[in-house]
Amino acid sequence: MSSPPHTAATGPAAAPTANPDPAHRPQGSAAVAGGDVFAGTLAELTWYEVDRAAKSGAVLLWAFGVIEQHGPHLPTGTDVYVPVARLRAVQALLAERGVQALIMPPYYWGVNVVSGSFPASYSVRPELMREVMVDLLGGMARDGFRHVFCFSGHGDALHNRTIHEGVRAARERTPADASFVTEPALARRIGLALDDPCLTLYGPDEPPPPGPADVHAGRWETSLMIHSCPELVREDVRARLEPSGLGADDLATWRQGFDAARRVTPDGYFGDPAAAGADEGRRLHALAAERAADAIALRLRRPPAQTAHPSRTEE
C-alpha cells in the first residue's frame, strides 16, 4: 500500500433504452463489492455509457497496485483491493461536489523491489509499465476524458517514481491531462518537487509519526483491509502476530529490497497487525478519501498552471 497515513451527455443515436447513467449505480461503498476489483468500474459499463460519460465531462480515477506478499495474514492483492475501495469512496464524494467520475479497472502488474525476493511478489520493468501507461492514457484522452487521476496502492519508491514518469510522459506525448494523486510525504521520499504540475497532492505536509515504524501489512494497512475486504483477512493468523518493533534504521535497510528486506522482515510484515481494527480502518479510509476528493475538486477549479499543493500556493 502507499505511504501510511499521518493522522493520531448525450449518447449515440442507438443508445440503449435502459438507464445507462453510471451515477444511478450503487457506488462509494467498499463493503458492498469486497474483493471484486471490477465492481463499480468502467469494466461493467457499455461503450455507450462510457461515451456518454466522456461527453458529459466525467473524469477518470485509476489505481496502480501490485501483486505482492503481505505477511501471513493478508492476501497478495492487498495493494489492489485497498486503493480500489478508496476510489469508490472518492467517486461518491466527488459526486456530492458536482464532479462525475468513472473508475478505471486497476492496474496491478507494477514494480516490486522491497518484496522482490518473496514468492507471489511480481514485477515488470519500469520502462514497460511507463509505456503501457502512455498508451492507455492516450486512449482515454482520445475517448474525450479531459482529466485522469492516478492513485498508487503500493509504497515501493521505484513503483511510485514509475507512475510519475508515466504520467509525465503521457502529458508530453498525448493529449492526456493526467496527474498523480499522492501525499506530500511520499512525493518528497521519491524526490519530487511539491509544485510539480504532474502531481495532485492531498493531506497534510508533515513527517511520519514517532515510534516504531508501521509501513507494510501492519496496523494501518491491516485495518484498511478489515474494513474494506474482511473476508480476505486471515483473522486466526493475524491475532497471533507479534509487533515487528522495527525502527528507522531497520526501515532504511528494508527499503533496499530483495534479500535485505527479507532478512529484516522474514514473515513479510513491518508493523503491528494484531492491533488493527475495523473502526480504525473505517476512519482512515474515510479520511483519505475525503482529502483526495477535496484535492481533485480543487485542481479541477484551478487554471491549468496552478497545480501546486494547497499549503504551497496559499503561503
Side-chain angles (χ1 to χ4, degrees), residues 31-42:
V32 171
D36 184 356
V37 296
F38 274 6
T41 73
L42 183 147

Side-chain angles (χ1 to χ4, degrees), residues 113-139:
V113 173
V114 173
S115 291
S117 68
F118 283 86
S121 298
Y122 303 113
S123 187
V124 299
R125 287 165 288 149
E127 61 271 22
L128 178 60
M129 178 175 164
R130 183 185 64 238
E131 291 305 305
V132 169
M133 288 183 65
V134 171
D135 285 353
L136 293 176
L137 286 167

Side-chain angles (χ1 to χ4, degrees), residues 15-257:
T17 56
N19 187 345
D21 186 353
H24 287 82
R25 297 172 181 267
Q27 297 168 342
S29 173
V32 171
D36 184 356
V37 296
F38 274 6
T41 73
L42 183 147
E44 294 187 332
L45 304 179
T46 70
W47 76 266
Y48 290 96
E49 295 162 352
V50 174
D51 187 58
R52 178 175 295 183
K55 286 182 167 64
S56 66
V59 304
L60 294 178
L61 309 175
W62 196 9
F64 287 79
V66 291
I67 303 300
E68 174 199 35
Q69 73 81 20
H70 273 76
H73 62 296
L74 293 181
T76 59
T78 292
D79 285 353
V80 181
Y81 295 129
V82 170
V84 168
R86 181 171 299 168
L87 292 194
R88 295 187 191 115
V90 171
Q91 180 188 48
L93 291 166
L94 287 174
E96 294 174 4
R97 291 155 174 77
V99 177
Q100 183 187 7
L102 299 186
I103 301 173
M104 289 297 297
Y107 178 97
Y108 47 82
W109 298 121
V111 180
N112 258 317
V113 173
V114 173
S115 291
S117 68
F118 283 86
S121 298
Y122 303 113
S123 187
V124 299
R125 287 165 288 149
E127 61 271 22
L128 178 60
M129 178 175 164
R130 183 185 64 238
E131 291 305 305
V132 169
M133 288 183 65
V134 171
D135 285 353
L136 293 176
L137 286 167
M140 296 170 206
R142 287 190 297 274
D143 278 350
F145 290 101
R146 296 181 55 199
H147 302 280
V148 185
F149 294 95
C150 301
F151 290 71
S152 178
H154 178 47
D156 194 293
L158 184 55
H159 176 83
N160 287 285
R161 280 196 292 269
T162 302
I163 296 174
H164 176 262
E165 290 170 3
V167 165
R168 183 177 59 190
R171 289 166 63 96
E172 292 172 351
R173 293 159 47 189
T174 78
D177 182 2
S179 67
F180 179 18
V181 184
T182 191
E183 296 172 301
L186 178 59
R188 291 185 188 280
R189 178 160 69 85
I190 64 175
L192 302 180
L194 298 192
D195 60 355
D196 187 322
C198 297
L199 300 179
T200 296
L201 296 179
Y202 72 94
D205 186 4
E206 59 187 29
D214 190 290
V215 296
H216 180 73
R219 175 173 179 165
W220 68 274
E221 191 167 24
T222 302
S223 293
L224 287 168
M225 279 296 290
I226 293 172
H227 165 63
S228 60
C229 301
E231 70 281 6
L232 298 180
V233 180
R234 279 57 169 178
E235 278 294 333
D236 57 334
V237 176
R238 180 189 73 85
R240 301 195 302 269
L241 296 177
E242 295 292 331
S244 62
L246 301 171
D249 291 342
D250 302 301
L251 180 59
T253 301
W254 182 78
R255 282 178 170 158
Q256 294 173 16

